[in-house]
Amino acid sequence: MAGLLSRSLLRAGTSIAPKQTYSTLRNSTRAQNLSQRIYAQASLKSYPRTFATSPQKQQYRTHTYDSGDGNPPVKIQIQEPPSFFKRSFHFIGRVLGGILIVTFGSVIALVIYEPDMIVATEVVRMAMHPEEGVSDERTLQIEAYIQNHPIVQKFRDDPSLIETRPHLDIPTLLRPNVLTAGVLTGPDRIAVPPLVFADGEGKKLYAILHVGEQLCGHPGVVHGGLLATLMDETLARCCFPALPNKIAMTANLDVNYRAPCKANQFVIIKAETTKVEGRKAWVSGRLESLPAPGADADGRLLVEASVLMIEPKNIGVLMREVPNKDSVSASPRAAVRGA
């Protein structure tokens, strides 16, 4: 009885199921087989790619396939990642764009917030190279006064003296790290590099320069520490050619201030090597105001100083080239090397 009931129910269910159900299942199975076949063909066959303006269009592409059997075409989106060339091109473009943005942004910010920094750098460069042309009128006047002064002409007529500008011998990249050739250089400071006349044997030296209004310790009076620095540097440069390796360090500096040195004036430093013993050299010097053209007397004595210079031990091993006395006498730049 139970078996007959089950078979009757089965027959009833079969007769109730409409024909559309079978057609739907058959179409689903056919569509599934068609999709599998299309994906398999797409994985084996390469299709032409075109550049798109957006990354989303580069990652997906729509392919149309004809399934046959009178059915409508099937459209399928297949993911296609960008090629290595495209990814590299975009990466390089982003890097270059970032660099340009940072560079132009920094320049614009510097011009807006720190315009004096650019101007000051250019002024220092021009002041260090007056022979290349200086736009600052005051600096031009200072340079012309020094070049045309009778004392300068007198030194140039002396065959025993060599004319140099030691600060210009310092490489341009290193000048900002040299006190008297970098920070202290510029308008209203040391406007132009000191003009130096020295013999080739390290016996005497003369330096002429201008001290500006921004070098003061008291209003209108040049700072005593700056004057000591100038004396130390100039006296040391005087004795260098007399030492074995043409270089030395300050061991003792004695400075006596005789009168206030007023700002915005020309000064001359006179140095003389008094004694040399091996690696040691003793030098004395005077800092005076530069006398006016046509004056018979010397300028006013402002500072007196004496210094003991000692050449470091084994310095010759560390130096690539050690010129002899003949080369020092023949080369104007070698005569003042090391300052």
Side-chain angles (χ1 to χ4, degrees), residues 25-38:
L25 293 175
R26 186 167 56 255
N27 293 336
S28 300
T29 303
R30 181 181 300 174
Q32 182 178 2
N33 294 336
L34 178 61
S35 300
Q36 294 177 355
R37 186 169 64 256
I38 292 174

Side-chain angles (χ1 to χ4, degrees), residues 47-271:
Y47 297 94
R49 303 175 181 178
T50 59
F51 287 97
T53 57
S54 62
Q56 290 77 9
K57 292 183 179 180
Q58 295 179 11
Q59 294 179 0
Y60 296 93
R61 179 170 296 281
T62 301
H63 299 271
T64 303
Y65 300 94
D66 188 2
S67 59
D69 299 336
N71 295 321
V74 178
K75 295 183 179 181
I76 299 177
Q77 283 189 338
I78 300 178
Q79 185 176 2
E80 294 185 356
S83 64
F84 176 77
F85 172 76
K86 290 183 180 180
R87 286 181 281 132
S88 302
F89 179 78
H90 287 296
F91 175 77
I92 295 174
R94 293 189 184 98
V95 171
L96 294 178
I99 294 174
L100 291 176
I101 292 174
V102 172
T103 302
F104 285 106
S106 301
V107 172
I108 294 173
L110 190 63
V111 172
I112 295 175
Y113 296 103
E114 294 292 342
D116 295 337
M117 184 179 299
I118 299 177
V119 176
T121 303
E122 183 66 14
V123 168
V124 170
R125 187 198 68 81
M126 292 188 298
M128 289 301 298
H129 298 275
E131 67 280 1
E132 296 180 2
V134 182
S135 60
D136 182 72
E137 185 65 25
R138 178 56 179 162
T139 305
L140 283 173
Q141 294 175 359
I142 293 173
E143 178 68 14
Y145 185 88
I146 293 177
Q147 293 292 339
N148 299 320
H149 198 280
I151 291 181
V152 173
Q153 302 302 325
K154 177 183 176 181
F155 290 154
R156 286 173 175 165
D157 295 336
D158 189 344
S160 65
L161 297 179
I162 302 171
E163 179 181 349
T164 59
R165 267 192 148 135
H167 286 177
L168 299 185
D169 290 338
I170 303 173
T172 304
L173 294 178
L174 299 181
R175 287 177 196 166
N177 300 327
V178 179
L179 180 62
T180 56
V183 176
L184 299 180
T185 299
D188 294 328
R189 288 169 284 174
I190 301 177
V192 297
L195 187 62
V196 175
F197 294 87
D199 66 344
E201 299 179 356
K203 295 181 179 180
K204 56 184 178 180
L205 181 144
Y206 305 95
I208 301 174
L209 67 152
H210 181 272
V211 287
E213 297 177 351
Q214 295 183 5
L215 303 176
C216 296
H218 298 281
V221 179
V222 177
H223 197 292
L226 172 67
L227 299 177
T229 300
L230 294 176
M231 295 299 292
D232 178 42
E233 180 179 283
T234 306
L235 270 59
R237 186 178 290 116
C238 175
C239 70
F240 282 162
L243 295 172
N245 293 297
K246 323 305 176 189
I247 190 171
M249 308 281 292
T250 303
N252 177 267
L253 175 65
D254 185 16
V255 181
N256 295 303
Y257 300 96
R258 301 306 184 188
C261 178
K262 295 183 179 181
N264 198 24
Q265 71 166 322
F266 296 88
V267 297
I268 179 172
I269 303 176
K270 304 175 182 179

Side-chain angles (χ1 to χ4, degrees), residues 244-246 315-324 327 331 334 337:
N245 293 297
K246 323 305 176 189
I315 189 65
V317 179
L318 302 177
M319 300 177 65
R320 295 182 179 180
E321 179 183 1
V322 181
N324 53 34
S327 63
S331 175
R337 202 182 77 176

